[in-house]
Amino acid sequence: MGNCLKGSSTDDLSPLRNAETTSETTTSEQPWIPYREVNPGGPIFYPSPGISCSVNQLSEEDQVKIAKKLGFIQHLPTGTYDGCKKNRECVICMIEFIVGDPVRYLPCLHIYHKKCIDAWLMRSFTCPSCMEPVDAALLTSYETK
Amino acid sequence: MSALPRRIIKETQRLMQEPVPGISAVPDESNARYFHVIVTGPEDSPFEGGLFKLELFLPEDYPMSAPKVRFITKIYHPNIDRLGRICLDILKDKWSPALQIRTVLLSIQALLSAPNPDDPLANDVAELWKVNEVEAIRNAKEWTRKYAMEN
């Protein structure tokens, strides 16, 4: 909990008030979201939580940050789904794993579709299921200058 | 309007098939990302007996971002302000895509059972809750009767 007063601008309400209209106005510039099948427009990046912009709006500093994140994510092991009964469904897209699906393993041993977890890791280095930091040691080596 | 992600379709179906006790969430006829929500006030809370209307909107990049949720029914609670905005960590920095509409609404219901005046959104309410809890609870019951029990 916390930070509610700081973040309590009227912005919080606008998505609700405009609920009917936003879906129409944003169709022309949809962000790149891998868990969605439709994929028009260019990639959108998230330099900080809640801030989205396309690549030409990014500062040099943000570009470096994103490159570091991408580099970090590439260090996490990947594989293909082997039919393990313990994990049946990717909790991010809620679609059942099919043998052969590309998956990524987090250090806490939770697995997700590669494209689903990569989109989340660009926003936060935590496991969606257990909220464990993905790898504090690796993270530090990438975050420090 | 863009195609609805499979996840939203699945969550909606599951909410209909296995509704959460004390909570109803129905998608709007014209916008499948907008839900009309009713939460019943939990037992043994000052909100008991009340039916609280909320609105819930799934933003474009859901589940990468949290749903936007707001109380429509007026409620006297230290973590809910006069505009109905809710101070709840999982709606802000503690959001995770493993959470769902269902878990969000359960957390909101739990917040009604456990007001937290040390992390206020409605300052005047929180202040009274801290200095005179008896009066604060009386106010909360009165508001519940006045605004959350119309038929």
Side-chain angles (χ1 to χ4, degrees):
Chain A
M1 302 244 184
N3 300 329
C4 289
L5 287 173
K6 273 181 267 169
S8 66
S9 67
T10 48
D11 284 350
D12 267 4
L13 285 178
S14 48
L16 288 171
R17 291 205 179 115
N18 301 329
E20 314 267 329
T21 50
T22 40
S23 54
E24 282 152 37
T25 50
T26 53
T27 39
S28 54
E29 36 173 346
Q30 281 174 356
W32 175 74
I33 307 170
Y35 53 84
R36 181 187 298 144
E37 280 121 313
V38 194
N39 185 16
I44 297 281
F45 292 94
Y46 298 84
S48 329
I51 296 170
S52 58
C53 49
S54 67
V55 69
N56 52 9
Q57 292 171 306
L58 288 173
S59 70
E60 201 167 305
E61 195 188 336
D62 286 338
Q63 288 182 32
V64 172
K65 253 201 243 173
I66 286 163
K68 283 181 177 171
K69 279 189 198 175
L70 286 168
F72 170 71
I73 293 170
Q74 297 317 311
H75 277 74
L76 296 166
T78 55
T80 52
Y81 182 64
D82 57 3
C84 164
K85 296 259 165 56
K86 204 178 134 217
N87 309 291
R88 286 169 183 275
E89 184 181 280
C90 171
V91 300
I92 298 179
C93 63
M94 290 177 69
I95 293 171
E96 277 177 29
F97 290 117
I98 297 167
V99 175
D101 274 355
V103 293
R104 198 182 284 287
Y105 303 90
L106 298 192
C108 50
L109 301 179
H110 285 112
I111 74 164
Y112 305 91
H113 283 128
K114 186 172 169 295
K115 57 188 182 178
C116 295
I117 191 63
D118 287 6
W120 173 248
L121 293 173
M122 289 303 287
R123 291 163 172 82
S124 167
F125 284 129
T126 52
C127 171
S129 299
C130 61
M131 302 303 281
E132 281 293 308
V134 165
D135 188 332
L138 252 182
L139 192 64
T140 334
S141 68
Y142 275 91
E143 287 282 80
T144 50
K145 284 167 196 164
Chain B
M1 195 172 161
S2 58
L4 207 59
R6 293 259 295 275
R7 159 150 178 170
I8 296 182
I9 297 170
K10 269 202 175 173
E11 275 202 67
T12 308
Q13 283 171 347
R14 288 182 191 175
L15 277 170
M16 300 294 149
Q17 285 160 3
E18 310 146 41
V20 194
I23 295 173
S24 105
V26 180
D28 189 81
E29 278 176 22
S30 61
N31 185 348
R33 288 176 176 270
Y34 183 94
F35 289 75
H36 302 271
V37 177
I38 296 172
V39 171
T40 55
E43 276 178 33
D44 302 321
S45 80
F47 312 101
E48 184 173 355
L51 291 179
F52 296 88
K53 279 188 201 162
L54 295 89
E55 55 181 1
L56 180 147
F57 179 68
L58 303 175
E60 193 63 22
D61 61 348
Y62 179 81
M64 294 298 156
S65 333
K68 311 274 182 196
V69 197
R70 184 176 82 92
F71 273 82
I72 296 173
T73 304
K74 269 172 78 102
I75 180 166
Y76 194 88
H77 190 290
N79 311 106
I80 301 162
D81 75 2
R82 63 188 63 198
L83 293 173
R85 294 176 300 194
I86 306 161
C87 181
L88 187 59
D89 53 359
I90 58 157
L91 293 175
K92 305 268 175 2
D93 54 327
K94 292 288 189 303
W95 170 252
S96 144
L99 296 168
Q100 303 177 15
I101 298 173
R102 174 186 298 272
T103 39
V104 163
L105 295 177
L106 279 168
S107 301
I108 291 171
Q109 203 180 35
L111 187 67
L112 297 187
S113 292
N116 178 11
D118 293 322
D119 185 25
L121 191 55
N123 271 319
D124 48 338
V125 179
E127 196 52 41
L128 186 62
W129 217 285
K130 280 199 277 195
V131 299
N132 189 346
E133 198 180 343
V134 175
E135 194 186 332
I137 289 176
R138 200 188 307 136
N139 287 348
K141 282 184 180 166
E142 195 186 317
W143 281 41
T144 302
R145 204 163 40 240
K146 210 164 153 189
Y147 303 111
M149 289 189 185
E150 312 159 21
N151 303 315

